[in-house]
Amino acid sequence: MSTPSFDPSQLTRDHVLRALRHIDRQGLNLPPSTVYDLVYRGRRYPPRPVAQLAYRLATGQTDAKWPLPAGGPTNGLLEHLDFTVATKRPSLANSPLDNDVATQQAMQDLYTGRPSDTAPIEKAKGQKLEVQEPVSSYNLPPITPYDRATALQELFVSEQKLDDTLSALRRRRNLILYGPPGTGKTFLARRLAWLELGSTDITRVELVQFHPSYSYEDFVQGFRPDAQGNFRLTLGVLLEFCHRATQEPDKPYFLLIDEINRGNLSRIFGELFLLLEADKRGPAHAVRLPYSPPHVPRFFVPENLYVIGTMNTADRSLAPLDYALRRRFAFVKMQPEFGAPLQSFLTQKGVPAAVITRLVTRLTELNQAISDDPDLGEDFQLGHSYFCQPPTNSAAADSWLTLVLEQEIAPLLDEYWLDQPAKAAAHKKRLLR
């Protein structure tokens, strides 16, 4: 076989496009790549076989061998022709490429992206191809004073319960607000922080939400890729916030964790089970974190950090809280409040008395039925926050209430009585009558 005099650098984008069209028309079954794919118009192709076919079409020799090795050389040439080369999607279990140990050992020799000093691709009009995330354009809300009187005006809790909740937060420094959906848990958590701060200073309040994919690396620290594709030890939300808190030890800082029971708590918290205890705060109880090198100072939770979590008791997909975590938090139960505070609030918003009476009567009856059901119980009652944003036009209040009941409450009843559709239908009929 004669070696073609055609140099690989002479390959053009048109040659590659011809190869891709040929592959699609003929339905060629190319040998799959191990790590990288050429992505074009939503389809994925193995880079080196595509380059070899383009090379053969360009040289007119059907047995010509592509002279460049797989990985960096081939991928770099294709990218120079303005094609996208991306990491392969994970392969299915038991596929031919699954558990390919030899390939894993050879990973260090494979393509890892363009060198950082490579000049950016020039577009047709001489403009540089630049990619970056959009810059945030919003401004932080102004800081305003926040006191006890303001809190009691917008919180549907008694003065005694507010005092007891604040007392638990100050005593344990860790608090969980738990209860049925719509009882204002997250709303109260933020207001508790504001009360202790004396203002709505959100720079000292951090909100995160746990979910099944949330991990120790997200919350504490772990190795994450940077803009250059290199993995670096990166602080998680908690460590970054603790470092900020230590800069102002005389001012409280509040970490709010929404849906705290949706995450794998043992995996997320790790050694934080120890450091969160009220009597284990400060540098005297510092520990070395698993990812930190020996020369890095040990980590501790500062005494001015408070943690407030919220927990929805009606989520059936959740396992019980880890007992080790339970012992480190105070728990305050939140309940639906359809009494005088909510009724007074709706009256101030211009909701007619007849609509308020209908709302309170229907929800009180429904919650009683839910509490009496042996398969549900009071943890599945429906809270008042569904009705805290009435329309500004009082004439639209009756229609607003009907839509909330039809579009937000009724679908929940179908979920509650999923195996008893007749019972769900009966409760929806009474609710909407």
Side-chain angles (χ1 to χ4, degrees), residues 180 313 333-336 338 362-383 413 416-417 423 427:
T313 56
K333 186 172 185 177
M334 302 292 293
Q335 295 177 317
F338 290 100
R362 298 289 189 274
L363 268 296
T364 302
E365 292 176 354
L366 177 61
N367 279 339
Q368 187 61 52
I370 291 173
S371 296
D372 294 341
D373 192 298
D375 295 326
L376 296 175
E378 62 179 11
D379 285 342
F380 290 81
Q381 294 182 88
L382 300 171
L413 304 186
Y416 282 1
W417 287 291
K423 180 180 284 191
H427 283 294

Side-chain angles (χ1 to χ4, degrees), residues 86-380:
T87 305
K88 283 182 67 68
R89 295 168 177 163
S91 58
L92 296 175
N94 301 319
S95 74
L97 297 178
D98 194 34
N99 295 322
D100 189 344
V101 178
T103 299
Q104 294 175 20
Q105 292 175 343
M107 283 287 287
Q108 60 182 358
D109 298 325
L110 295 178
Y111 174 70
T112 57
R114 301 182 191 181
S116 58
D117 57 350
T118 301
I121 299 174
E122 297 291 333
K123 300 187 75 174
K125 295 183 180 180
Q127 297 179 346
K128 294 182 178 180
L129 179 64
E130 295 182 356
V131 180
Q132 62 181 11
E133 296 204 10
V135 178
S136 174
S137 59
Y138 65 86
N139 296 318
L140 295 177
I143 299 175
T144 58
Y146 195 85
D147 56 20
R148 181 186 182 85
T150 306
L152 289 172
Q153 276 188 339
E154 60 179 0
L155 295 174
F156 302 143
V157 297
S158 66
E159 189 171 0
Q160 182 62 49
K161 184 163 187 176
L162 181 61
D163 289 340
D164 293 345
T165 304
L166 286 170
S167 176
L169 178 62
R170 293 162 183 165
R171 182 181 71 254
R172 297 293 295 169
R173 289 192 175 88
N174 307 313
L175 176 71
I176 287 183
L177 306 173
Y178 71 102
T183 48
K185 298 179 287 295
T186 306
F187 189 84
L188 174 59
R190 196 181 294 274
R191 269 68 189 172
L192 291 173
W194 290 352
L195 265 178
E196 293 295 273
L197 293 171
S199 68
T200 60
D201 183 3
I202 65 173
T203 62
R204 286 190 276 150
V205 180
E206 188 76 39
L207 174 67
V208 298
Q209 186 179 62
F210 282 180
H211 51 78
S213 297
Y214 209 78
S215 68
Y216 181 91
E217 289 74 16
D218 299 314
F219 192 56
V220 184
Q221 69 174 179
F223 286 94
R224 305 182 69 86
D226 60 17
Q228 286 73 41
N230 301 315
F231 281 84
R232 298 184 183 278
L233 186 61
T234 306
L235 300 184
V237 174
L238 177 68
L239 256 67
E240 190 275 334
F241 197 60
C242 284
H243 288 172
R244 286 164 53 190
T246 56
Q247 303 304 311
E248 297 181 287
D250 58 329
K251 297 180 180 179
Y253 277 70
F254 293 85
L255 177 63
L256 312 184
I257 306 176
D258 198 34
E259 304 283 2
I260 190 171
N261 54 333
R262 288 197 61 82
N264 184 334
L265 298 182
S266 298
R267 181 186 176 197
I268 293 172
F269 279 93
E271 60 280 328
L272 267 298
F273 278 151
L274 168 69
L275 300 181
L276 280 176
E277 291 189 47
D279 59 349
K280 300 293 190 300
R281 303 290 184 92
H285 302 280
V287 299
R288 179 175 296 164
L289 298 178
Y291 287 103
S292 297
H295 64 275
V296 173
R298 297 184 179 188
F299 170 71
F300 64 91
V301 175
E303 296 185 7
N304 61 326
L305 178 72
Y306 295 81
V307 180
I308 305 177
T310 67
M311 188 172 76
N312 184 356
T313 56
D315 196 328
R316 304 189 210 216
S317 67
L318 304 176
L321 278 185
D322 190 299
Y323 182 66
L325 187 72
R326 279 191 175 276
R327 290 189 291 109
R328 289 160 172 83
F329 280 78
F331 285 74
V332 173
K333 186 172 185 177
M334 302 292 293
Q335 295 177 317
E337 299 287 349
F338 290 100
L342 176 67
Q343 296 177 39
S344 175
F345 168 80
L346 293 175
T347 299
Q348 294 175 8
K349 294 294 185 177
V351 179
V355 176
I356 296 176
T357 301
R358 177 187 169 204
L359 186 161
V360 172
T361 302
R362 298 289 189 274
L363 268 296
T364 302
E365 292 176 354
L366 177 61
N367 279 339
Q368 187 61 52
I370 291 173
S371 296
D372 294 341
D373 192 298
D375 295 326
L376 296 175
E378 62 179 11
D379 285 342
F380 290 81

Side-chain angles (χ1 to χ4, degrees), residues 50-108:
V50 169
Q52 178 164 282
L53 179 57
Y55 188 62
R56 289 175 176 176
L57 292 175
T59 60
Q61 298 184 19
T62 58
D63 58 350
K65 298 275 188 174
W66 175 244
L68 300 181
T74 296
N75 294 343
L77 188 144
L78 291 172
E79 286 182 323
H80 181 70
L81 298 177
D82 211 13
F83 286 99
T84 299
V85 178
T87 305
K88 283 182 67 68
R89 295 168 177 163
S91 58
L92 296 175
N94 301 319
S95 74
L97 297 178
D98 194 34
N99 295 322
D100 189 344
V101 178
T103 299
Q104 294 175 20
Q105 292 175 343
M107 283 287 287
Q108 60 182 358

Side-chain angles (χ1 to χ4, degrees), residues 383-400:
H384 48 274
S385 65
Y386 291 98
F387 309 97
C388 290
Q389 293 182 326
T392 54
N393 181 9
S394 60
D398 188 67
S399 175
W400 160 77

